[in-house]
Amino acid sequence: MIAVLHPPRRNRSRRLLEAMLGVTQLWLSASTAYLLMLLINGRRPASPVAPREPVRWPSMLVLVPAHDEEAIIERCVAALVSQEYPGDRTVVVIADNCSDRTALIARDAGAVVLCRTDVQAPGKGHALNWALQRLQDGDEEIVMFVDADCVASPNLCREVAGAMSRPQVSVVQARYDVSNPEASTTSALRAGGFLLKHVIQPRGRQRLGLSCGLFGSGMAFRRSLMREVAWPTSVTEDIELHLRLVRAGTVVHYLETGSVTSPMPLSAGQAAEQQLRWESGNAEMRRRYGLKLIAAGVTARRMPPIASGLELFIPPQSLLVGASVSLGSAFIALRRPRLGLLGAATAVADAFYVVAGLILAGATPATFRALLVSPAFMAGRLRVIGRVMSGRRTSAWVRTRR
């Protein structure tokens, strides 16, 4: 009789664990490689979408969703009313479920005000969808969106109109920066994140012919396109709108010569509230659109949908760094030095991406000083991500405390 020796169950379990960790590490390394590709292509400002002024300045509608923003709405409206723009424009503030003097202050500052009261459907997405339905018969050629906590650069309308003078440009996203990076460590780190996400990455996508993405404020659309697309009502309505546009064949162009700025939360607790909403929305978008976008891009042989779908599966920067370090240590403990080296190399590459990207995007000294305490910030981010992954997400829009 021939005896058949089966490998011990312990060895099989170990091999299975090593395989799972190896696949995870390859995913992290591929994500980092993609970010490095964007960094290389985004090391310099993107070429202007349109180098010339339009022959005729188009009329423009600027929508500002606001909920209890009496402390800041005046400076937002003032910056839009005083734009260096020779064409016609109308600034409309949507006072959504406000219990303060937002509507009165906005009207005194020069805006048209639409008041909405619907406590069953609060939030920016619902407010914009409501306003667009009531303004759909307007004759403005460009519709732009600016958040109430943002201040537009004096040339924003002019630069947007110049960019959209090209017939192939239907959607423009302006640069979106943090206005208070020196205020606290939390705001400095958030400013760094904005520079990587709102400057380096869209620069790289633009040079690669991809869609640069929508950031929620400083977005402009042709009126004809807005009549074809219903505004999403999810907690990350800007991301969902971008995914819908890309799937339909429309790419977003990046505009760095005009910008909006916004203050960020000063404390880690306030930042965590905001991050929970973002990460919850990202998880929902990944579930609903990720694989569908990739499949649509492969079928149509178009890279923008494929890239936008794949980007939904790229982990947040905090998770990339933390997971690479953890996996590298695990591989060393499992006596898999090559995989351990891959994990270490990925972690180093992630750190290089962050530091080089901040330098190229012009980060302030406060942001670089804040990197010294970034591990604590990353730990907070990981707790938020863990909450989202465990199913404890948020589906409601909540105004960020600042």
Side-chain angles (χ1 to χ4, degrees):
M1 179 180 292
I2 301 176
V4 179
L5 300 178
H6 296 281
R9 180 176 299 179
R10 182 177 179 182
N11 290 341
R12 291 200 301 269
S13 299
R14 174 169 175 163
R15 285 199 297 270
L16 178 60
L17 174 62
E18 291 177 352
M20 293 175 60
L21 293 178
V23 170
T24 303
Q25 182 58 66
L26 290 176
W27 168 47
L28 297 176
S29 299
S31 298
T32 300
Y34 178 74
L35 292 177
L36 290 175
M37 182 176 65
L38 293 182
L39 174 67
I40 293 171
N41 285 277
R43 64 188 183 277
R44 293 190 301 271
S47 301
V49 179
R52 65 185 188 282
E53 292 188 347
V55 176
R56 181 183 62 81
W57 293 100
S59 57
M60 192 174 297
L61 171 66
V62 185
L63 293 181
V64 182
H67 171 65
D68 289 346
E69 303 285 8
E70 65 178 5
I72 58 177
I73 191 63
E74 183 176 7
R75 66 172 180 258
C76 173
V77 173
L80 295 171
V81 170
S82 62
Q83 285 282 299
E84 301 167 354
Y85 187 65
D88 295 332
R89 71 187 179 282
T90 303
V91 179
V92 176
V93 170
I94 310 159
D96 183 51
N97 290 300
C98 290
S99 59
D100 63 0
R101 299 172 62 247
T102 295
L104 178 61
I105 295 173
R107 188 177 294 112
D108 289 344
V112 176
V113 178
L114 298 179
C115 293
R116 172 180 179 265
T117 302
D118 187 348
V119 295
Q120 300 301 319
K124 178 181 173 183
H126 289 288
L128 288 175
N129 195 32
W130 175 86
L132 288 169
Q133 290 177 10
R134 279 151 182 78
L135 299 170
Q136 61 182 346
D137 295 330
D139 57 2
E140 296 89 356
E141 298 161 82
I142 295 175
V143 182
M144 186 163 67
F145 301 85
V146 177
D147 281 354
D149 61 349
C150 289
V151 175
S153 62
N155 66 337
L156 178 61
C157 289
R158 179 186 288 268
E159 294 298 323
V160 165
M164 300 184 77
S165 66
R166 298 261 179 109
Q168 69 271 27
V169 179
S170 298
V171 187
V172 167
Q173 172 62 62
R175 178 166 172 160
Y176 187 180
D177 287 322
V178 171
S179 62
N180 62 337
E182 306 284 343
S184 72
T185 300
T186 298
S187 62
L189 288 172
R190 184 55 57 81
F194 267 47
L195 289 175
L196 295 175
K197 186 176 180 180
H198 293 171
V199 178
I200 295 299
Q201 292 182 20
R203 279 182 184 176
R205 296 188 192 107
Q206 185 107 321
R207 289 189 181 278
L208 292 171
L210 306 175
S211 185
C212 84
L214 294 174
F215 309 150
S217 186
M219 311 176 293
F221 305 78
R222 291 193 185 278
R223 166 70 85 168
S224 56
L225 181 63
M226 293 309 302
R227 292 193 176 102
E228 300 173 2
V229 180
W231 198 273
T233 57
S234 60
V235 293
T236 48
E237 84 290 335
D238 53 333
I239 297 176
E240 184 172 4
L241 179 60
H242 174 244
L243 299 177
R244 289 183 184 180
L245 291 172
V246 171
R247 188 175 182 182
T250 300
V251 298
V252 179
H253 295 264
Y254 183 54
L255 178 68
E256 196 167 352
T257 51
S259 66
V260 293
T261 60
S262 172
M264 288 294 114
L266 302 183
S267 71
Q270 293 170 346
E273 294 173 358
Q274 189 180 56
Q275 197 65 44
L276 176 61
R277 176 163 55 89
W278 289 348
E279 295 298 342
S280 296
N282 289 338
E284 179 65 15
M285 295 303 102
R286 184 161 51 247
R287 182 187 68 82
R288 291 174 54 189
Y289 291 96
L291 296 179
K292 292 179 181 179
L293 267 175
I294 296 171
V298 171
T299 301
R301 298 182 181 179
R302 296 179 56 251
M303 277 306 300
I306 296 175
S308 296
L310 289 173
E311 285 186 358
L312 292 173
F313 296 95
I314 294 180
Q317 198 66 44
S318 302
L319 186 58
L320 266 177
V321 176
S324 295
V325 172
S326 299
L327 284 178
S329 302
F331 286 132
I332 292 175
L334 292 170
R335 298 181 181 179
R336 291 292 184 265
R338 292 183 180 179
L339 289 175
L341 183 61
L342 178 60
T346 301
V348 171
D350 286 329
F352 174 79
Y353 164 77
V354 171
V355 174
L358 293 178
I359 293 173
L360 293 171
T364 65
T367 298
F368 288 103
R369 291 194 300 269
L371 291 178
L372 298 176
V373 296
S374 59
F377 182 79
M378 289 169 55
R381 287 285 303 275
L382 290 175
R383 285 194 294 271
V384 172
I385 294 169
R387 179 176 173 180
V388 172
M389 293 178 66
S390 67
R392 293 177 294 163
R393 305 171 185 173
T394 178
S395 58
W397 184 91
V398 179
R399 180 183 181 275
T400 301
R401 293 180 293 125
R402 292 180 173 85

